[in-house]
Amino acid sequence: MATDYDAPRKTEEDSPAESLEALQASRGAGAQTAVIDVDENDTAEGIDLPGADLSGEELTVIVVPEQSDEFTCSSCFLVRHRSQIALEKNGLKYCVECEG
């Protein structure tokens, strides 16, 4: 038997009271307004626009030193795991991506 998937579905839970007119009437004349959740920390000062002058700003970063199982590639200068060493030449180490 073929099923018409475009046909409206009716269930026992549907009732005539759920029509658009019934829903509008049940809400009454009071208009609902949208409530905007504004975070106190979310101000215009916290938004950086492209091209903004940030020369007076200070950046604090925690630098983690290179671990014993890591190396810095002499070509791309990325810190990588020792398993990615492809070439070691004159004390310089190169990663698989740079030598590949």
Side-chain angles (χ1 to χ4, degrees):
M1 181 173 145
T3 304
D4 184 10
Y5 292 105
D6 293 328
R9 297 181 182 158
K10 300 280 183 179
T11 62
E12 292 81 27
E13 296 173 0
D14 291 340
S15 65
E18 291 184 358
S19 67
L20 180 60
E21 293 81 19
L23 289 173
Q24 288 175 341
S26 68
R27 289 186 181 165
Q32 295 181 350
T33 59
V35 177
I36 300 173
D37 186 22
V38 178
D39 188 11
E40 292 178 9
N41 298 328
D42 188 22
T43 61
E45 295 173 2
I47 300 172
D48 294 331
L49 300 175
D53 181 24
L54 301 176
S55 60
E57 298 295 322
E58 186 174 320
L59 181 64
T60 306
V61 178
I62 299 172
V63 178
V64 179
E66 187 177 291
Q67 303 298 310
S68 61
D69 62 340
E70 296 174 334
F71 75 100
T72 302
C73 177
S74 297
S75 179
C76 64
F77 303 106
L78 292 176
V79 177
R80 300 191 177 262
H81 190 264
R82 287 212 177 269
S83 64
Q84 294 184 349
I85 295 176
L87 176 68
E88 191 168 345
K89 183 177 175 183
N90 298 331
L92 302 175
K93 297 173 183 149
Y94 297 92
C95 70
V96 175
E97 290 183 14
C98 293
E99 287 300 312

Coordinates of all heavy atoms in Angstrom, one line a residue:
M1 N 0.8 -1.2 0.0 CA 0.0 0.0 0.0 C 0.9 1.2 0.0 O 1.8 1.3 0.8 CB -0.9 0.0 1.2 CG -1.8 1.2 1.3 SD -2.9 0.9 2.7 CE -3.1 2.5 3.2
A2 N 0.6 2.2 -0.8 CA 1.4 3.4 -1.0 C 1.0 4.4 0.1 O -0.2 4.4 0.5 CB 1.2 4.0 -2.3
T3 N 1.9 5.2 0.6 CA 1.7 6.2 1.6 C 1.9 7.6 1.0 O 2.9 7.8 0.4 CB 2.6 6.0 2.8 OG1 2.5 4.7 3.3 CG2 2.3 7.0 3.9
D4 N 0.9 8.4 1.3 CA 1.0 9.8 0.8 C 1.6 10.6 1.9 O 1.0 11.0 2.9 CB -0.4 10.3 0.5 CG -0.4 11.7 -0.1 OD1 0.7 12.2 -0.4 OD2 -1.4 12.3 -0.2
Y5 N 2.9 10.9 1.7 CA 3.6 11.7 2.7 C 3.3 13.2 2.7 O 3.6 13.9 3.7 CB 5.1 11.5 2.6 CG 5.6 10.1 2.9 CD1 5.9 9.2 1.9 CD2 5.6 9.6 4.2 CE1 6.3 7.9 2.2 CE2 6.0 8.3 4.5 CZ 6.3 7.5 3.5 OH 6.7 6.2 3.8
D6 N 2.6 13.6 1.7 CA 2.3 15.0 1.6 C 0.9 15.3 2.3 O 0.6 16.5 2.5 CB 2.2 15.5 0.2 CG 3.5 15.5 -0.5 OD1 4.5 15.7 0.2 OD2 3.6 15.2 -1.7
A7 N 0.2 14.3 2.6 CA -1.1 14.5 3.3 C -0.9 14.9 4.7 O 0.0 14.5 5.4 CB -1.9 13.2 3.3
P8 N -1.7 15.8 5.2 CA -1.6 16.3 6.6 C -1.9 15.1 7.6 O -2.7 14.2 7.3 CB -2.7 17.4 6.7 CG -3.6 17.2 5.6 CD -2.8 16.5 4.5
R9 N -1.1 15.1 8.6 CA -1.3 14.0 9.6 C -2.2 14.4 10.7 O -2.1 15.5 11.3 CB 0.1 13.7 10.2 CG 1.1 13.1 9.1 CD 2.4 12.8 9.7 NE 3.3 12.4 8.7 CZ 4.6 12.4 8.8 NH1 5.2 12.8 9.9 NH2 5.3 12.0 7.8
K10 N -3.1 13.5 11.1 CA -4.1 13.8 12.1 C -3.8 12.7 13.2 O -3.7 11.6 12.9 CB -5.5 13.7 11.6 CG -5.9 14.6 10.5 CD -6.2 16.0 11.1 CE -6.6 16.8 9.9 NZ -6.9 18.2 10.4
T11 N -3.8 13.2 14.4 CA -3.7 12.3 15.6 C -4.8 12.6 16.5 O -5.5 13.6 16.4 CB -2.3 12.5 16.3 OG1 -2.3 13.8 16.8 CG2 -1.2 12.2 15.4
E12 N -5.0 11.7 17.5 CA -6.0 11.9 18.5 C -5.8 13.1 19.4 O -6.7 13.7 19.9 CB -6.2 10.6 19.4 CG -6.7 9.4 18.6 CD -5.6 8.7 17.8 OE1 -4.4 8.8 18.3 OE2 -5.9 8.0 16.8
E13 N -4.5 13.4 19.5 CA -4.1 14.6 20.4 C -4.5 15.9 19.7 O -4.7 16.9 20.4 CB -2.6 14.5 20.7 CG -2.2 13.3 21.4 CD -0.7 13.2 21.5 OE1 0.0 14.1 21.0 OE2 -0.2 12.3 22.1
D14 N -4.6 15.9 18.4 CA -5.0 17.2 17.8 C -6.5 17.5 18.1 O -7.3 16.6 18.1 CB -4.9 17.1 16.2 CG -3.4 17.0 15.8 OD1 -2.6 17.4 16.6 OD2 -3.2 16.5 14.7
S15 N -6.7 18.8 18.4 CA -8.1 19.2 18.7 C -8.4 20.5 17.9 O -7.4 21.2 17.6 CB -8.3 19.4 20.2 OG -7.5 20.4 20.6
P16 N -9.6 20.8 17.7 CA -10.0 22.0 17.0 C -9.5 23.2 17.7 O -9.4 24.3 17.2 CB -11.5 21.9 16.8 CG -11.9 20.7 17.5 CD -10.8 19.9 18.0
A17 N -9.3 23.1 19.0 CA -8.9 24.3 19.8 C -7.5 24.7 19.5 O -7.0 25.8 19.9 CB -9.0 24.0 21.3
E18 N -6.7 23.9 18.8 CA -5.3 24.2 18.4 C -5.2 25.0 17.1 O -4.1 25.1 16.6 CB -4.5 23.0 18.4 CG -4.3 22.3 19.8 CD -3.4 21.1 19.8 OE1 -2.9 20.8 18.7 OE2 -3.2 20.6 20.9
S19 N -6.3 25.5 16.6 CA -6.2 26.2 15.4 C -5.5 27.6 15.7 O -5.4 28.0 16.8 CB -7.6 26.4 14.8 OG -8.3 27.3 15.6
L20 N -5.1 28.3 14.7 CA -4.4 29.6 14.8 C -5.3 30.6 15.5 O -4.9 31.3 16.4 CB -3.9 30.1 13.4 CG -3.2 31.4 13.5 CD1 -2.0 31.3 14.3 CD2 -2.9 31.8 12.1
E21 N -6.6 30.6 15.1 CA -7.5 31.5 15.7 C -7.7 31.2 17.2 O -7.8 32.1 18.0 CB -8.9 31.5 15.0 CG -8.8 32.0 13.5 CD -8.3 31.0 12.5 OE1 -8.3 29.8 12.9 OE2 -7.9 31.4 11.5
A22 N -7.8 30.0 17.5 CA -8.0 29.6 18.9 C -6.8 29.9 19.8 O -6.9 30.4 20.9 CB -8.3 28.1 19.0
L23 N -5.6 29.7 19.2 CA -4.4 30.1 20.0 C -4.3 31.6 20.2 O -3.9 32.0 21.2 CB -3.1 29.5 19.2 CG -3.0 28.0 19.3 CD1 -1.8 27.6 18.4 CD2 -2.7 27.6 20.7
Q24 N -4.6 32.4 19.1 CA -4.5 33.8 19.3 C -5.6 34.3 20.3 O -5.3 35.2 21.0 CB -4.8 34.5 17.9 CG -3.6 34.3 17.0 CD -3.8 34.9 15.6 OE1 -5.0 35.1 15.2 NE2 -2.8 35.1 14.9
A25 N -6.8 33.7 20.3 CA -7.8 34.1 21.2 C -7.4 33.7 22.6 O -7.7 34.5 23.6 CB -9.1 33.4 20.8
S26 N -6.8 32.6 22.8 CA -6.4 32.2 24.2 C -5.3 33.0 24.8 O -5.2 33.2 26.0 CB -6.0 30.7 24.2 OG -4.7 30.6 23.5
R27 N -4.5 33.6 23.9 CA -3.4 34.5 24.4 C -4.0 35.9 24.9 O -3.4 36.6 25.6 CB -2.4 34.8 23.3 CG -1.6 33.5 23.1 CD -0.5 33.8 22.1 NE 0.3 32.6 21.8 CZ 1.1 32.5 20.9 NH1 1.3 33.4 20.0 NH2 1.8 31.3 20.7
G28 N -5.1 36.2 24.4 CA -5.8 37.4 24.8 C -5.2 38.6 24.0 O -4.4 38.5 23.1
A29 N -5.5 39.8 24.5 CA -5.1 41.0 23.8 C -3.7 41.4 24.2 O -3.1 42.3 23.6 CB -6.1 42.1 24.1
G30 N -3.2 40.9 25.3 CA -1.9 41.2 25.8 C -0.8 40.8 24.8 O -0.7 39.6 24.5
A31 N 0.0 41.7 24.3 CA 1.0 41.4 23.4 C 2.2 40.8 24.1 O 2.6 41.4 25.2 CB 1.4 42.6 22.6
Q32 N 2.8 39.8 23.6 CA 4.1 39.3 24.2 C 5.3 40.0 23.7 O 5.3 40.3 22.5 CB 4.2 37.8 23.9 CG 3.1 37.0 24.5 CD 3.3 35.5 24.2 OE1 4.1 35.1 23.4 NE2 2.5 34.7 24.9
T33 N 6.2 40.3 24.5 CA 7.4 41.0 24.1 C 8.6 40.1 24.3 O 8.6 39.2 25.2 CB 7.7 42.3 24.9 OG1 7.7 41.9 26.3 CG2 6.5 43.3 24.8
A34 N 9.6 40.2 23.4 CA 10.8 39.4 23.5 C 11.6 39.9 24.7 O 11.8 41.1 24.9 CB 11.5 39.5 22.2
V35 N 12.2 39.0 25.4 CA 13.1 39.3 26.5 C 14.5 39.1 26.0 O 14.9 37.9 25.6 CB 12.8 38.5 27.8 CG1 13.8 38.9 28.9 CG2 11.4 38.8 28.2
I36 N 15.4 40.1 26.1 CA 16.8 39.9 25.7 C 17.6 39.7 26.9 O 17.6 40.5 27.8 CB 17.2 41.2 24.9 CG1 16.4 41.4 23.7 CG2 18.7 41.0 24.5 CD1 16.7 42.6 22.9
D37 N 18.4 38.6 26.9 CA 19.2 38.3 28.0 C 20.6 39.0 27.8 O 21.4 38.6 27.0 CB 19.4 36.8 28.1 CG 20.2 36.4 29.4 OD1 20.2 37.2 30.3 OD2 20.8 35.3 29.4
V38 N 20.8 40.0 28.6 CA 22.1 40.8 28.4 C 23.0 40.5 29.6 O 22.6 40.6 30.8 CB 21.8 42.3 28.4 CG1 23.0 43.1 28.3 CG2 20.8 42.6 27.3
D39 N 24.2 40.1 29.3 CA 25.2 39.8 30.3 C 25.8 41.1 30.7 O 26.1 42.0 29.9 CB 26.2 38.8 29.7 CG 27.2 38.3 30.8 OD1 26.9 38.6 32.0 OD2 28.2 37.7 30.4
E40 N 26.1 41.3 32.0 CA 26.6 42.5 32.5 C 28.0 42.7 31.9 O 28.5 43.8 31.7 CB 26.7 42.5 34.0 CG 25.4 42.5 34.7 CD 25.5 42.4 36.2 OE1 26.6 42.5 36.7 OE2 24.4 42.3 36.9
N41 N 28.8 41.6 31.7 CA 30.1 41.7 31.1 C 30.1 42.0 29.6 O 31.2 42.3 29.1 CB 30.9 40.5 31.5 CG 31.1 40.3 33.0 OD1 31.1 41.2 33.7 ND2 31.1 39.0 33.4
D42 N 29.0 41.8 29.0 CA 28.9 42.0 27.5 C 28.6 43.4 27.2 O 27.4 43.8 27.1 CB 27.8 41.0 27.0 CG 27.9 41.0 25.5 OD1 28.9 41.4 24.9 OD2 26.8 40.7 24.9
T43 N 29.6 44.2 27.2 CA 29.4 45.7 26.9 C 30.1 46.0 25.6 O 30.8 45.2 25.0 CB 30.0 46.5 28.0 OG1 31.4 46.3 28.1 CG2 29.3 46.2 29.3
A44 N 30.0 47.2 25.2 CA 30.7 47.7 24.0 C 32.2 47.6 24.1 O 32.9 47.5 23.1 CB 30.2 49.1 23.6
E45 N 32.7 47.7 25.3 CA 34.1 47.7 25.6 C 34.7 46.3 25.3 O 35.8 46.1 25.0 CB 34.4 48.1 27.0 CG 34.1 49.5 27.3 CD 34.2 49.9 28.7 OE1 34.7 49.0 29.5 OE2 34.0 51.0 29.1
G46 N 33.8 45.3 25.4 CA 34.3 43.9 25.2 C 34.3 43.4 23.8 O 34.7 42.3 23.5
I47 N 33.8 44.3 22.9 CA 33.7 43.9 21.5 C 34.9 44.6 20.7 O 35.0 45.8 20.8 CB 32.4 44.3 20.9 CG1 31.3 43.6 21.6 CG2 32.3 44.0 19.4 CD1 29.9 44.1 21.3
D48 N 35.7 43.8 20.0 CA 36.8 44.3 19.2 C 36.3 44.4 17.8 O 36.0 43.4 17.2 CB 38.0 43.5 19.3 CG 38.6 43.5 20.7 OD1 38.4 44.6 21.4 OD2 39.2 42.5 21.2
L49 N 36.4 45.5 17.2 CA 36.1 45.7 15.8 C 37.3 45.5 14.9 O 38.4 45.8 15.3 CB 35.5 47.1 15.5 CG 34.2 47.4 16.3 CD1 33.8 48.8 16.1 CD2 33.1 46.5 16.0
P50 N 37.1 45.0 13.7 CA 38.2 44.9 12.8 C 38.9 46.2 12.5 O 38.2 47.2 12.3 CB 37.6 44.3 11.5 CG 36.3 43.8 11.9 CD 35.9 44.6 13.1
G51 N 40.2 46.2 12.5 CA 40.9 47.4 12.3 C 41.0 48.4 13.5 O 41.5 49.5 13.4
A52 N 40.6 47.9 14.7 CA 40.6 48.7 15.9 C 42.1 48.8 16.4 O 42.9 47.9 16.2 CB 39.7 48.1 17.0
D53 N 42.4 50.0 17.0 CA 43.7 50.2 17.5 C 43.8 49.5 18.9 O 43.2 49.9 19.8 CB 44.0 51.7 17.6 CG 45.4 52.0 18.2 OD1 46.2 51.2 18.0 OD2 45.5 53.1 18.7
L54 N 44.6 48.5 18.9 CA 44.8 47.7 20.1 C 46.2 47.9 20.7 O 46.7 47.1 21.5 CB 44.6 46.2 19.9 CG 43.2 45.9 19.3 CD1 43.1 44.4 19.0 CD2 42.1 46.3 20.3
S55 N 46.9 49.0 20.3 CA 48.3 49.2 20.8 C 48.3 49.4 22.3 O 49.4 49.2 22.9 CB 48.9 50.4 20.0 OG 48.1 51.6 20.3
G56 N 47.3 49.9 22.9 CA 47.3 50.2 24.3 C 46.9 49.0 25.2 O 46.9 49.0 26.4
E57 N 46.5 47.9 24.5 CA 46.1 46.7 25.2 C 47.2 45.8 25.6 O 48.3 45.8 25.0 CB 45.1 45.9 24.4 CG 43.8 46.6 24.0 CD 43.0 46.9 25.2 OE1 42.9 46.1 26.1 OE2 42.4 48.0 25.2
E58 N 47.1 45.1 26.7 CA 48.1 44.2 27.2 C 47.6 42.7 27.2 O 46.4 42.5 27.5 CB 48.5 44.5 28.6 CG 49.6 43.8 29.2 CD 50.1 44.3 30.5 OE1 50.1 45.5 30.8 OE2 50.4 43.4 31.4
L59 N 48.4 41.8 26.7 CA 48.0 40.4 26.5 C 48.8 39.6 27.5 O 50.0 39.7 27.6 CB 48.3 39.9 25.1 CG 47.9 38.5 24.8 CD1 46.4 38.3 24.9 CD2 48.3 38.2 23.4
T60 N 48.1 38.8 28.3 CA 48.7 37.9 29.3 C 48.5 36.5 28.8 O 47.4 36.0 28.6 CB 48.1 38.1 30.6 OG1 48.1 39.4 31.0 CG2 48.8 37.2 31.7
V61 N 49.7 35.8 28.6 CA 49.7 34.4 28.1 C 50.6 33.6 28.9 O 51.7 34.0 29.3 CB 50.2 34.4 26.6 CG1 50.2 32.9 26.1 CG2 49.3 35.2 25.7
I62 N 50.1 32.4 29.3 CA 51.0 31.4 30.0 C 51.7 30.6 29.0 O 51.1 29.9 28.2 CB 50.1 30.6 30.9 CG1 49.4 31.4 32.0 CG2 51.0 29.5 31.6 CD1 48.3 30.7 32.8
V63 N 53.0 30.6 29.1 CA 53.9 29.9 28.1 C 54.3 28.6 28.8 O 54.9 28.6 29.9 CB 55.1 30.7 27.7 CG1 56.0 29.9 26.8 CG2 54.7 32.0 27.1
V64 N 54.0 27.5 28.2 CA 54.4 26.2 28.7 C 55.7 25.8 28.0 O 55.8 25.8 26.8 CB 53.3 25.1 28.4 CG1 53.7 23.8 29.0 CG2 52.0 25.6 29.1
P65 N 56.8 25.5 28.7 CA 58.0 25.1 28.1 C 57.9 23.8 27.4 O 57.1 23.0 27.6 CB 59.0 25.0 29.3 CG 58.2 24.9 30.5 CD 56.9 25.5 30.2
E66 N 58.8 23.6 26.4 CA 58.9 22.4 25.6 C 59.1 21.2 26.5 O 60.0 21.2 27.4 CB 60.0 22.5 24.6 CG 60.1 21.4 23.6 CD 61.2 21.6 22.6 OE1 61.1 22.5 21.8 OE2 62.1 20.8 22.7
Q67 N 58.3 20.2 26.4 CA 58.3 19.0 27.2 C 59.4 18.0 26.7 O 60.0 18.2 25.6 CB 57.0 18.3 27.2 CG 55.8 19.1 27.7 CD 56.0 19.6 29.1 OE1 56.2 18.8 30.0 NE2 55.8 20.9 29.3
S68 N 59.8 17.0 27.5 CA 60.8 16.1 27.1 C 60.5 15.3 25.9 O 61.4 14.8 25.2 CB 61.2 15.2 28.3 OG 60.0 14.4 28.7
D69 N 59.2 15.0 25.6 CA 58.9 14.2 24.5 C 58.5 15.1 23.3 O 57.8 14.6 22.4 CB 57.7 13.3 24.9 CG 56.5 14.0 25.3 OD1 56.6 15.2 25.6 OD2 55.4 13.4 25.2
E70 N 58.9 16.4 23.3 CA 58.6 17.3 22.2 C 59.8 17.8 21.6 O 60.9 17.8 22.2 CB 57.7 18.4 22.7 CG 56.3 18.0 23.2 CD 55.6 19.1 23.8 OE1 56.1 20.1 24.3 OE2 54.3 19.0 23.8
F71 N 59.7 18.4 20.3 CA 60.8 19.1 19.7 C 60.2 20.2 18.9 O 59.0 20.2 18.6 CB 61.6 18.1 18.8 CG 60.9 17.8 17.5 CD1 61.3 18.4 16.3 CD2 59.9 16.8 17.4 CE1 60.6 18.1 15.1 CE2 59.3 16.5 16.3 CZ 59.6 17.2 15.1
T72 N 61.1 21.2 18.5 CA 60.6 22.3 17.7 C 61.2 22.1 16.3 O 62.4 22.0 16.2 CB 61.1 23.6 18.3 OG1 60.6 23.8 19.6 CG2 60.6 24.8 17.5
C73 N 60.4 22.0 15.3 CA 60.8 21.8 13.9 C 61.6 23.1 13.5 O 61.2 24.2 13.8 CB 59.6 21.7 13.0 SG 60.0 21.5 11.3
S74 N 62.8 22.8 12.9 CA 63.6 23.9 12.4 C 63.1 24.6 11.2 O 63.7 25.6 10.8 CB 65.0 23.4 12.2 OG 65.6 22.9 13.4
S75 N 62.1 24.0 10.5 CA 61.6 24.6 9.3 C 60.3 25.4 9.6 O 60.2 26.6 9.3 CB 61.3 23.5 8.3 OG 60.7 24.1 7.1
C76 N 59.3 24.8 10.2 CA 58.0 25.5 10.5 C 57.9 26.1 11.9 O 57.0 26.8 12.2 CB 56.9 24.5 10.2 SG 56.8 23.1 11.4
F77 N 58.9 25.7 12.8 CA 59.0 26.2 14.1 C 57.8 25.9 15.0 O 57.5 26.5 16.0 CB 59.2 27.7 14.2 CG 60.4 28.1 13.4 CD1 60.3 28.7 12.2 CD2 61.7 27.9 13.9 CE1 61.4 29.1 11.5 CE2 62.8 28.2 13.2 CZ 62.7 28.8 12.0
L78 N 57.1 24.8 14.7 CA 56.0 24.3 15.5 C 56.5 23.3 16.5 O 57.5 22.5 16.1 CB 54.9 23.6 14.6 CG 54.1 24.6 13.7 CD1 53.2 23.8 12.9 CD2 53.4 25.6 14.5
V79 N 56.0 23.2 17.7 CA 56.4 22.2 18.6 C 55.6 21.0 18.3 O 54.3 21.0 18.3 CB 56.1 22.7 20.1 CG1 56.4 21.6 21.1 CG2 56.9 24.0 20.4
R80 N 56.3 19.9 18.1 CA 55.7 18.6 17.8 C 56.2 17.5 18.7 O 57.2 17.6 19.3 CB 56.0 18.3 16.3 CG 55.5 19.4 15.4 CD 55.6 18.9 13.9 NE 55.0 19.8 13.0 CZ 53.8 19.8 12.5 NH1 53.0 18.8 12.9 NH2 53.4 20.7 11.7
H81 N 55.4 16.4 18.6 CA 55.8 15.2 19.4 C 57.0 14.5 18.7 O 57.2 14.6 17.5 CB 54.7 14.2 19.5 CG 54.9 13.1 20.4 ND1 55.4 11.9 20.0 CD2 54.8 13.0 21.8 CE1 55.5 11.1 21.1 NE2 55.1 11.8 22.1
R82 N 57.9 13.9 19.5 CA 59.1 13.3 19.0 C 58.8 12.2 17.9 O 59.7 11.9 17.1 CB 59.9 12.6 20.1 CG 60.6 13.7 21.0 CD 61.9 13.1 21.5 NE 62.6 14.1 22.3 CZ 63.5 14.9 21.8 NH1 63.8 14.9 20.5 NH2 64.1 15.8 22.5
S83 N 57.6 11.6 17.9 CA 57.3 10.6 16.9 C 57.2 11.2 15.5 O 57.2 10.5 14.5 CB 56.0 9.9 17.3 OG 54.9 10.8 17.3
Q84 N 57.2 12.5 15.4 CA 57.0 13.2 14.1 C 58.4 13.7 13.6 O 58.4 14.4 12.6 CB 56.0 14.4 14.2 CG 54.6 13.9 14.5 CD 53.6 15.0 14.5 OE1 54.0 16.2 14.5 NE2 52.4 14.7 14.5
I85 N 59.5 13.3 14.2 CA 60.8 13.7 13.6 C 61.0 12.9 12.3 O 61.0 11.6 12.3 CB 61.9 13.4 14.6 CG1 61.8 14.2 15.9 CG2 63.3 13.6 14.0 CD1 62.8 13.9 17.0
A86 N 61.3 13.6 11.3 CA 61.6 12.9 10.0 C 63.0 12.9 9.7 O 63.6 12.0 9.0 CB 60.8 13.6 8.9
L87 N 63.7 14.0 10.1 CA 65.1 14.2 9.7 C 65.8 15.0 10.8 O 65.3 15.9 11.4 CB 65.3 15.0 8.4 CG 66.7 15.3 7.9 CD1 67.4 14.1 7.5 CD2 66.6 16.3 6.7
E88 N 67.0 14.5 11.2 CA 67.8 15.2 12.1 C 69.2 15.5 11.5 O 69.9 14.5 11.2 CB 68.0 14.4 13.4 CG 68.6 15.2 14.5 CD 68.5 14.5 15.9 OE1 67.7 13.6 16.0 OE2 69.2 15.0 16.8
K89 N 69.5 16.7 11.2 CA 70.7 17.1 10.4 C 71.4 18.3 11.1 O 70.8 19.3 11.4 CB 70.2 17.5 9.0 CG 71.3 17.8 8.1 CD 70.7 18.1 6.7 CE 71.8 18.6 5.7 NZ 71.1 18.9 4.4
N90 N 72.7 18.1 11.4 CA 73.5 19.1 12.1 C 72.8 19.6 13.4 O 72.9 20.8 13.7 CB 73.7 20.3 11.2 CG 74.5 19.9 10.0 OD1 75.3 19.0 10.0 ND2 74.3 20.6 8.9
G91 N 72.2 18.7 14.2 CA 71.6 19.0 15.4 C 70.2 19.7 15.2 O 69.6 20.0 16.2
L92 N 69.8 19.9 14.0 CA 68.4 20.5 13.8 C 67.5 19.4 13.4 O 67.8 18.4 12.7 CB 68.5 21.5 12.6 CG 69.5 22.6 12.8 CD1 69.6 23.5 11.5 CD2 69.1 23.5 14.0
K93 N 66.3 19.5 14.0 CA 65.2 18.5 13.7 C 64.1 19.0 12.8 O 63.8 20.2 13.0 CB 64.7 18.0 15.1 CG 65.7 17.4 16.0 CD 65.2 17.1 17.3 CE 66.3 16.5 18.2 NZ 66.2 16.8 19.5
Y94 N 63.7 18.2 11.9 CA 62.6 18.6 11.0 C 61.5 17.6 11.1 O 61.7 16.4 11.2 CB 63.2 18.6 9.6 CG 64.3 19.6 9.3 CD1 65.6 19.2 9.5 CD2 64.0 20.9 9.0 CE1 66.6 20.1 9.3 CE2 65.0 21.8 8.8 CZ 66.3 21.4 9.0 OH 67.3 22.3 8.8
C95 N 60.2 18.1 11.0 CA 59.1 17.3 11.2 C 58.7 16.5 9.9 O 59.2 16.8 8.8 CB 57.9 18.1 11.7 SG 57.2 19.3 10.5
V96 N 57.8 15.6 10.0 CA 57.3 14.8 8.9 C 56.7 15.7 7.8 O 56.9 15.4 6.6 CB 56.3 13.7 9.3 CG1 55.8 12.9 8.2 CG2 57.0 12.8 10.4
E97 N 55.9 16.7 8.2 CA 55.2 17.5 7.2 C 56.2 18.4 6.4 O 56.0 18.6 5.2 CB 54.2 18.4 7.9 CG 53.0 17.6 8.4 CD 52.0 18.5 9.1 OE1 52.0 19.7 8.9 OE2 51.1 17.9 9.7
C98 N 57.3 18.9 7.0 CA 58.2 19.7 6.3 C 59.1 18.9 5.4 O 59.6 19.4 4.4 CB 59.1 20.5 7.3 SG 58.1 21.8 8.2
E99 N 59.4 17.7 5.7 CA 60.3 16.8 4.9 C 59.5 16.0 3.9 O 60.0 15.3 3.1 CB 61.1 15.9 5.8 CG 62.2 16.6 6.6 CD 63.2 17.3 5.6 OE1 63.6 16.6 4.7 OE2 63.5 18.5 5.8
G100 N 58.2 16.0 4.1 CA 57.3 15.1 3.2 C 57.0 15.7 1.9 O 57.4 16.1 0.9

